Amino acid sequence: MSIKHLGQFEIKNASKGEVTAVFSTFNVVDKDGDVTIPGAFTDGQEVLISAYGHKVWEGALPVGKGIIRQTDSEAILDGKFFLDTDDGRNTFNVIKNVGARQEWSYGYDILDAAPGKFGGTDVQFLKQLNVTEVSPVLIGAGVNTRTLAAKSAQGQQRQQETTMSAYKRAIRPHETPVAAKAWHGVEVHESAAVGGLRHVYAWVDGDPEQKASYRFPHHENAVGPANVRACLLGIAQLNSVKGAGIPAEDRQAVYEHLAGHLRDNDSEPPELLAAPTSTMKFNDEGISVIADVSAFIDRATEVIALRSAKGRTPLSAGSADLFEWLGDELQRLKSLLDTPDEELAREYVRFVQSQLRRAS
């Protein structure tokens, strides 16, 4: 029998001692170097819930039981704690009080596995498993595992439920490496695997199996670092009247997710405005402009691909002129950076301002 540790814990509401938890995510490398294949578990299999830290293997009584079910990307436990026993009631109260820090683990026997490579990394592919028990633990190792719901008859977790409700659509912040490098949102969106979407994005509303339900991408893949530029672009979208488009109650939670990655990179995140606006500080305005340009380039990539698929020229004459115009403006910006003499640079800025005044 082997034990695999799992990750994130969330509580959504409280009633009847019932638990719904994602205990495995498919097609991602977990912290044990394993990749679990879709279908590795048995739908409808009954498993025990162990006392804290797999104590059932030391002779402790089970504290609950549940049933396994699978989606295309995850394995889920629908369980119920034995609230009519001291051990079951105490364990359930502990995991409620620990809240977001609570992690899970499961014991299993390998029925079928094989070595191989995943993304250039040597891994073990878990093809078929027999899960014997699930247990709350101190430290987990799985990718994107979480409790979907925990319910108790007492209903004592109202404050915690309020805290967790912010993550109904906004995805809970997580600590990962951070990289400052080029960002190509369209390529990330096209290549993102269904099983890793909650790692790549910061917000989801709709079918969690569909990429169209997700917004604010900021990781290149399910195991990649957060991207500084992507996080800045996401905050710019939150602050912009043109790019917010999510419920007001989700803005702060998405901001904390993106800002947390920036702070992990020792970068001070832009301020989240009280409401989306068209007026902002110079640096924030610059990031907003870059976000618009980036979105325009992403859209242009889609248009070019569509036109090419139909056997048409990549760009119409009017669109080609727009691209040339944008290139000229970017070159004009670059000339400010390339001008070595500060006084000459200031003079050039004054010249540009005078031209803009004339044009207006």
Side-chain angles (χ1 to χ4, degrees):
M1 194 278 298
S2 300
I3 290 175
K4 184 167 293 297
H5 298 287
L6 314 174
Q8 241 171 300
F9 177 83
E10 297 176 348
I11 292 179
K12 289 188 174 179
N13 55 42
S15 160
K16 299 182 181 177
E18 298 172 348
V19 172
T20 301
V22 172
F23 67 90
S24 180
T25 300
F26 302 140
N27 291 327
V28 295
V29 182
D30 65 26
K31 296 174 187 176
D32 294 328
D34 293 333
V35 175
T36 306
I37 300 300
F41 303 94
T42 302
D43 282 311
Q45 180 185 355
E46 186 174 277
V47 295
L48 298 175
I49 301 176
S50 172
Y52 215 93
H54 299 286
K55 294 297 184 183
V56 70
W57 297 106
E58 300 176 16
L61 294 172
V63 296
K65 65 181 179 179
I67 299 294
I68 292 174
R69 59 183 170 90
Q70 300 177 86
T71 68
D72 292 339
S73 61
E74 297 172 326
I76 299 170
L77 170 72
D78 293 321
K80 181 177 177 63
F81 280 79
F82 301 147
L83 297 185
D84 56 348
T85 68
D86 289 339
D87 290 340
R89 183 171 55 255
N90 290 339
T91 304
F92 186 70
N93 286 335
V94 166
I95 68 168
K96 286 195 303 177
N97 290 328
V98 173
R101 295 176 57 191
Q102 181 58 61
E103 298 183 359
W104 293 77
S105 172
Y106 68 95
Y108 63 98
D109 295 313
I110 297 177
L111 304 181
D112 188 12
K117 285 190 175 293
F118 187 90
T121 301
D122 291 325
V123 301
Q124 176 179 229
F125 289 99
L126 302 178
K127 299 180 179 181
Q128 188 175 4
L129 302 174
N130 176 45
V131 178
T132 52
E133 55 87 23
V134 177
S135 172
V137 294
L138 289 178
I139 299 175
V143 177
N144 198 34
T145 57
R146 59 207 182 277
T147 297
L148 300 179
K151 307 174 182 178
S152 77
Q154 290 78 12
Q156 298 174 345
Q157 297 300 311
R158 293 179 182 175
Q159 182 176 359
Q160 190 172 46
E161 290 170 16
T162 301
T163 302
M164 296 309 304
S165 67
Y167 298 106
K168 179 179 180 181
R169 291 175 294 258
I171 295 172
R172 173 173 294 281
H174 52 168
E175 292 185 4
T176 68
V178 183
K181 58 181 181 179
W183 173 256
H184 304 291
V186 167
E187 295 177 8
V188 168
H189 184 75
E190 290 178 348
S191 62
V194 172
L197 292 176
R198 289 184 65 87
H199 183 86
V200 173
Y201 295 83
W203 186 80
V204 58
D205 187 24
D207 185 353
E209 305 291 318
Q210 301 297 323
K211 292 182 185 180
S213 301
Y214 292 80
R215 286 193 59 188
F216 303 97
H218 56 286
H219 293 264
E220 290 186 0
N221 52 59
V223 294
N227 185 285
V228 170
R229 294 184 180 182
C231 292
L232 290 171
L233 292 176
I235 293 174
Q237 291 172 9
L238 290 172
N239 283 333
S240 171
V241 293
K242 295 179 290 184
I246 65 171
E249 61 269 24
D250 291 349
R251 290 181 70 244
Q252 183 69 42
V254 172
Y255 172 79
E256 291 299 336
H257 187 136
L258 300 175
H261 288 313
L262 294 174
R263 294 189 185 102
D264 288 342
N265 191 54
D266 294 327
S267 301
E268 184 63 29
E271 177 185 359
L272 178 67
L273 303 179
T277 179
S278 57
T279 303
M280 55 187 69
K281 296 178 181 179
F282 179 76
N283 280 357
D284 294 344
E285 182 180 3
I287 295 172
S288 179
V289 170
I290 294 171
D292 289 341
V293 171
S294 178
F296 178 69
I297 294 174
D298 288 346
R299 174 62 177 150
T301 303
E302 296 173 357
V303 170
I304 290 173
L306 182 61
R307 289 176 64 91
S308 298
K310 294 181 177 180
R312 303 168 65 183
T313 57
L315 289 174
S316 66
S319 296
D321 288 342
L322 280 176
F323 270 56
E324 185 176 355
W325 183 7
L326 177 60
D328 290 343
E329 291 300 307
L330 293 176
Q331 185 61 40
R332 189 158 64 94
L333 175 63
K334 187 173 184 299
S335 67
L336 290 176
L337 303 175
D338 291 342
T339 304
D341 186 273
E342 292 186 7
E343 180 57 34
L344 184 59
R346 286 192 290 270
E347 183 62 33
Y348 184 81
V349 171
R350 286 193 289 270
F351 168 75
V352 171
Q353 290 174 338
S354 67
Q355 294 298 105
L356 290 174
R357 284 193 292 271
R358 289 182 184 179
S360 61

